[in-house]
């Protein structure tokens, strides 16, 4: 089993007739999916998504793939294929198109509609190529065939990429729901046909590789949603991903059945469901939708609200309701339905929202106490099925954390893929398919690029470390005035602290220690301001650590006279 090594060198030039694959995101993480394929000097990109920040990344709005690897070669990009419309696959497209606006975007009708709406906000008019399942298109040396796959969003596609180097099947995100809400099945016949042709490399979704069996059908959720709305005596507030058209359809159908009006809350929910309705993916009964601003005019028992915020996002509608920071106020007897699965890492934030809602008297129905969501990703039984259908010569698990990638690799081994033909890579690791064999060929930089407000890439890991220290330990500033000629203290020290948890009165007892340390340096003839700054920082830091066992940020301010 081939795997990355922390000391991998930059790759050698690609061998003639070889295909190079570099993931700039999506390996070892859930999100930021982006893979770059290279053949004969030309590039094809599959997906360009974002990663959402963790609690230890304060102030960060989004995390992008690092485009440095392709920045000097953007003119070589033939197309950007988007497998489906989730943010972790399309969210970074506006930032890539800022660097080259005319990259053709290839995707299904709904996927392109979602990204076009996003690009309008960035004032970018994209070049679009709409494709459907069963279609074949050529982009430079890459012949691409698109196959229908079932997922938690309509119109998802897998893509088979043919070059003289071989056939690569990239599944995108998929599952094998045999009774999907929209009747659109994963094209297992197409997978089998490709397997008979000969799949040289299978790149397959690993998110649920640790989950045994098969994923439950979406149709089993409908009766549960129906029961929640039927038995609720007051308002029902449903929180879902803003792109989960199937779930919103189930809620709307149940609301219409029991004579309730529906209000959509949240900008992304309004935008996406409007697009889905206009394109025919969402069937909205007449007179069902009302404006959320008019919701108070309706009796609570006649209302269903559909909003964003199922993952505990601080600024999403449901989180603001839980914090009493939203025009819609949670009332005793309301029912809140969290109709989504937890994204790994969001458990604490979601539990906080659940507790907040419960505090105000709401009954919260969630995956932990009811069957209100099924995953959009294939479980181990389905992944084995695809491996056996396609019989790949080489296998590379994608889209998942390390444990998911490893589990998927084990499944591939069980189906007979030789261990030395299984490539477990991480972001930036270069994989070359040459003479029918996929192997690691080196590594390129593929770090995080942070979006913070309007800044892109200006925030570094050092900046985040400083923010964490400020948030956890506070800061202490020390102002001293020194003679630039002698280095002697002429005024101060003056100490100010915020968030450090230290009583300011204690600083008065400590100031003589700073004075003595500076006097000793002046006696040694030290007049270098950087050295004086270091003396102040070390002296204060040692005292705070010894006395309070804390490590606040210490900011010496040296004024020269």
């Amino acid at each position: 089993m081939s795997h990355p090594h922390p000391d991998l060198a930059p790759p050698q030039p690609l061998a003639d007739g070889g295909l190079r694959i570099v993931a700039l995101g999506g390996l070892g993480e859930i999100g930021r999916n982006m893979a770059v394929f290279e053949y004969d000097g030309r590039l094809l990109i599959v997906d360009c998504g974002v990663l959402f920040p963790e609690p230890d990344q304060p102030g960060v709005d989004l995390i992008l793939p690092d485009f440095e690897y392709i920045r000097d070669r953007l003119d070589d990009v033939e197309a950007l294929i988007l497998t489906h419309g989730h943010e972790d696959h399309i969210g970074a497209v506006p930032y890539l198109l800022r660097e080259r606006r005319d990259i053709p975007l290839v995707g299904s009708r709904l996927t392109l509609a979602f990204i076009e709406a996003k690009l309008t906000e960035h004032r970018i008019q994209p070049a679009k190529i709409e494709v459907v399942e069963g279609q074949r298109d050529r982009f430079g040396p890459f012949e691409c065939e698109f196959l229908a796959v079932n997922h938690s969003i309509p119109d998802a596609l897998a893509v088979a990429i043919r070059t003289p180097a071989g056939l690569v099947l990239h599944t995108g995100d998929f599952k094998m729901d045999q009774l999907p809400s929209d009747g659109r099945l994963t094209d297992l016949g197409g997978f089998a046909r490709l397997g008979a042709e000969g799949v040289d490399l299978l790149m397959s979704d690993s998110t649920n590789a640790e989950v045994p069996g098969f994923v439950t059908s979406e149709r089993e959720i409908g009766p549960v949603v129906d029961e929640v709305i039927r038995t609720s005596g007051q308002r029902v507030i449903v929180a879902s991903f803003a792109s989960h058209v199937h779930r919103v359809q189930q809620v709307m159908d149940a609301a219409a059945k029991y004579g309730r009006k529906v209000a959509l809350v949240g900008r992304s929910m309004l935008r996406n469901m409007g697009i889905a309705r206009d394109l025919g993916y969402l069937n909205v009964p007449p007179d069902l939708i009302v404006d959320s601003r008019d919701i108070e005019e309706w009796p609570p028992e006649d209302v269903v609200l559909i909003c964003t915020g199922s993952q505990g996002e601080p600024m999403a509608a449901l989180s603001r309701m839980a914090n009493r920071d939203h025009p819609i106020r949670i009332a005793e007897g309301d029912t809140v339905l969290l109709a989504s699965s937890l994204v790994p890492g969001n458990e604490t934030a979601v539990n906080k929202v659940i507790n907040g809602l419960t505090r105000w008297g709401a009954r919260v129905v969630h995956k932990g106490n009811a069957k209100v969501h099924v995953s959009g990703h294939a479980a181990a039984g389905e992944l084995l099925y695809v491996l056996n259908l396609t019989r790949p010569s080489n296998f590379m698990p994608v889209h998942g954390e390390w444990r998911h990638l490893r589990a998927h690799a084990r499944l591939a081994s069980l189906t007979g893929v030789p261990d030395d033909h299984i490539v477990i890579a991480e972001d930036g690791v270069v994989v070359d398919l040459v003479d029918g064999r996929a192997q690691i060929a080196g590594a390129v930089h593929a770090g995080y690029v942070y979006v913070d407000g309007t800044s892109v890439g200006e925030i570094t890991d050092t900046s985040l470390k400083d923010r964490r220290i400020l948030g956890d330990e506070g800061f202490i500033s020390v102002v001293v005035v020194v003679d630039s000629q002698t280095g002697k203290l002429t005024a101060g020290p003056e100490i100010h602290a915020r968030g450090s948890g230290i009583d300011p009165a204690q600083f008065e007892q400590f100031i003589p220690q700073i004075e003595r340390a500076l006097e000793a340096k002046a006696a040694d003839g030290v007049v270098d301001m950087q050295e004086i700054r270091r003396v102040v920082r070390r002296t204060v830091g040692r005292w705070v650590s010894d006395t309070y066992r804390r490590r606040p940020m210490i900011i010496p301010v040296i004024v020269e006279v």
Side-chain angles (χ1 to χ4, degrees):
M1 216 174 271
S2 183
H3 59 85
H5 187 278
D7 297 323
L8 281 173
Q12 295 297 313
L14 177 60
D16 290 342
L19 176 70
R20 175 160 288 176
I21 303 111
V22 181
L24 298 182
L27 301 186
E29 59 195 2
I30 303 292
R32 231 173 43 120
N33 297 283
M34 183 176 181
V36 179
F37 296 80
E38 177 180 355
Y39 182 83
D40 195 23
R42 305 302 293 173
L43 304 178
L44 180 76
I45 303 173
V46 175
D47 290 329
C48 187
V50 296
L51 179 68
F52 293 102
E54 300 285 345
D56 65 348
Q57 294 162 329
V60 174
D61 299 316
L62 298 171
I63 304 171
L64 310 178
D66 190 340
F67 303 140
E68 188 60 34
Y69 171 63
I70 60 171
R71 183 161 282 122
D72 293 336
R73 302 188 57 192
L74 289 174
D75 290 340
D76 297 334
V77 177
E78 296 286 353
L80 167 55
I81 293 173
L82 303 171
T83 59
H84 63 282
H86 280 152
E87 285 294 301
D88 60 333
H89 292 257
I90 69 170
V93 172
Y95 301 93
L96 179 61
L97 293 193
R98 286 182 186 180
E99 307 203 20
R100 181 189 153 194
R101 291 187 170 233
D102 63 344
I103 295 175
L105 304 184
V106 182
S108 64
R109 189 181 183 201
L110 183 66
T111 302
L112 291 180
F114 277 3
I115 189 60
E116 186 172 22
K118 181 183 292 291
L119 289 170
T120 299
E121 298 176 4
H122 290 259
R123 299 179 181 177
I124 296 174
Q125 183 62 44
K128 300 180 298 179
I129 300 175
E130 184 179 316
V131 295
V132 297
E133 54 261 31
Q135 183 171 334
R136 288 195 186 196
D137 275 297
R138 178 170 286 279
F139 308 101
F142 306 96
E143 182 186 301
C144 298
E145 179 182 353
F146 301 93
L147 300 96
V149 291
N150 184 253
H151 188 39
S152 55
I153 186 173
D155 252 9
L157 296 168
V159 57
I161 303 169
R162 293 179 176 87
T163 67
L167 168 61
V168 177
L169 174 59
H170 191 305
T171 67
D173 289 2
F174 81 102
K175 61 179 176 176
M176 289 166 48
D177 190 342
Q178 298 304 295
L179 295 170
S181 301
D182 59 3
R184 187 172 178 272
L185 296 165
T186 293
D187 187 3
L188 299 180
F191 283 8
R193 173 175 51 77
L194 293 172
E197 178 182 337
V199 174
D200 294 284
L201 176 63
L202 174 64
M203 301 171 66
S204 183
D205 176 9
S206 306
T207 311
N208 274 348
E210 292 183 309
V211 179
F214 284 64
V215 169
T216 305
S217 172
E218 284 282 349
R219 292 203 180 185
E220 295 194 20
I221 305 303
V224 181
V225 173
D226 186 286
E227 178 71 7
V228 168
I229 293 176
R230 183 184 68 81
T231 58
S232 298
Q234 290 192 193
R235 289 184 304 182
V236 178
I237 301 168
V238 180
S240 175
F241 291 123
S243 56
H244 204 329
V245 178
H246 300 320
R247 189 71 70 248
V248 171
Q249 185 69 71
Q250 289 172 323
V251 173
M252 286 187 172
D253 290 345
K257 179 178 178 180
Y258 296 110
R260 290 181 182 247
K261 297 294 183 181
V262 172
L264 299 175
V265 182
R267 188 165 60 95
S268 57
M269 181 68 73
L270 280 163
R271 180 190 66 199
N272 288 353
M273 292 309 117
I275 292 170
R277 179 195 59 213
D278 293 345
L279 296 181
Y281 294 93
L282 183 68
N283 177 33
V284 182
D287 302 321
L288 179 72
I289 301 292
V290 296
D291 194 304
S292 61
R293 291 170 294 188
D294 302 328
I295 206 68
E296 300 299 335
E297 298 176 9
W298 296 87
E301 65 273 14
D302 292 342
V303 170
V304 174
L305 296 97
I306 306 177
C307 69
T308 55
S310 58
Q311 297 300 309
E313 307 95 312
M315 295 307 295
L318 193 66
S319 299
R320 292 173 57 203
M321 291 178 200
N323 293 329
R324 278 287 201 262
D325 184 30
H326 195 279
I328 295 169
R329 312 285 279 187
I330 298 295
E332 187 79 32
D334 285 346
T335 298
V336 178
L337 173 62
L338 301 183
S340 63
S341 62
L342 280 176
V343 173
N346 287 357
E347 295 85 357
T348 300
V350 172
N351 287 332
K352 183 178 179 181
V353 170
I354 291 173
N355 281 318
L357 296 167
T358 307
R359 176 187 179 191
W360 306 119
R363 175 172 74 106
V364 182
V365 181
H366 54 87
K367 190 179 180 184
N369 59 25
K371 192 71 175 178
V372 293
H373 182 74
V374 297
S375 176
H377 301 272
E382 296 158 85
L383 298 177
L384 285 169
Y385 201 101
V386 168
L387 282 159
N388 284 324
L389 274 180
T390 57
R391 288 291 174 186
S393 301
N394 299 274
F395 176 68
M396 179 176 169
V398 296
H399 196 291
E401 297 175 348
W402 270 103
R403 58 196 178 100
H404 306 131
L405 303 179
R406 293 278 187 193
H408 204 174
R410 284 193 291 272
L411 296 177
S413 181
L414 289 172
T415 64
V417 181
D419 283 352
D420 60 352
H421 287 238
I422 298 172
V423 178
I424 302 178
E426 61 183 328
D427 297 341
V429 168
V430 177
V431 178
D432 286 352
L433 179 64
V434 179
D435 296 330
R437 179 76 179 275
Q439 292 181 303
I440 288 174
V444 299
H445 180 71
Y448 283 180
V449 174
Y450 300 106
V451 178
D452 182 355
T454 58
S455 75
V456 179
E458 296 177 17
I459 300 301
T460 64
D461 288 328
T462 300
S463 305
L464 291 180
K465 181 180 179 182
D466 289 345
R467 289 182 180 184
R468 287 192 292 270
I469 292 172
L470 287 170
D472 294 339
E473 304 284 353
F475 79 93
I476 298 172
S477 65
V478 185
V479 181
V480 296
V481 181
V482 297
D483 188 308
S484 61
Q485 300 299 317
T486 65
K488 290 184 177 180
L489 184 68
T490 62
E494 189 175 302
I495 303 178
H496 305 274
R498 292 290 185 274
S500 64
I502 300 174
D503 182 357
Q506 298 299 315
F507 290 129
E508 294 300 322
Q509 304 174 23
F510 168 63
I511 283 175
Q513 293 186 38
I514 303 176
E515 293 173 339
R516 286 193 294 272
L518 291 175
E519 287 170 1
K521 284 295 177 182
D524 291 338
V526 174
V527 295
D528 178 67
M529 294 301 138
Q530 291 296 334
E531 178 61 24
I532 293 173
R533 188 173 285 109
R534 282 193 288 269
V535 169
V536 173
R537 182 181 288 114
R538 282 198 298 265
T539 305
V540 176
R542 188 181 304 113
W543 175 75
V544 173
S545 178
D546 292 346
T547 308
Y548 294 96
R549 296 292 185 267
R550 296 183 66 84
R551 298 176 63 86
M553 180 175 288
I554 298 168
I555 306 172
V557 179
I558 311 300
V559 180
E560 299 179 64
V561 294

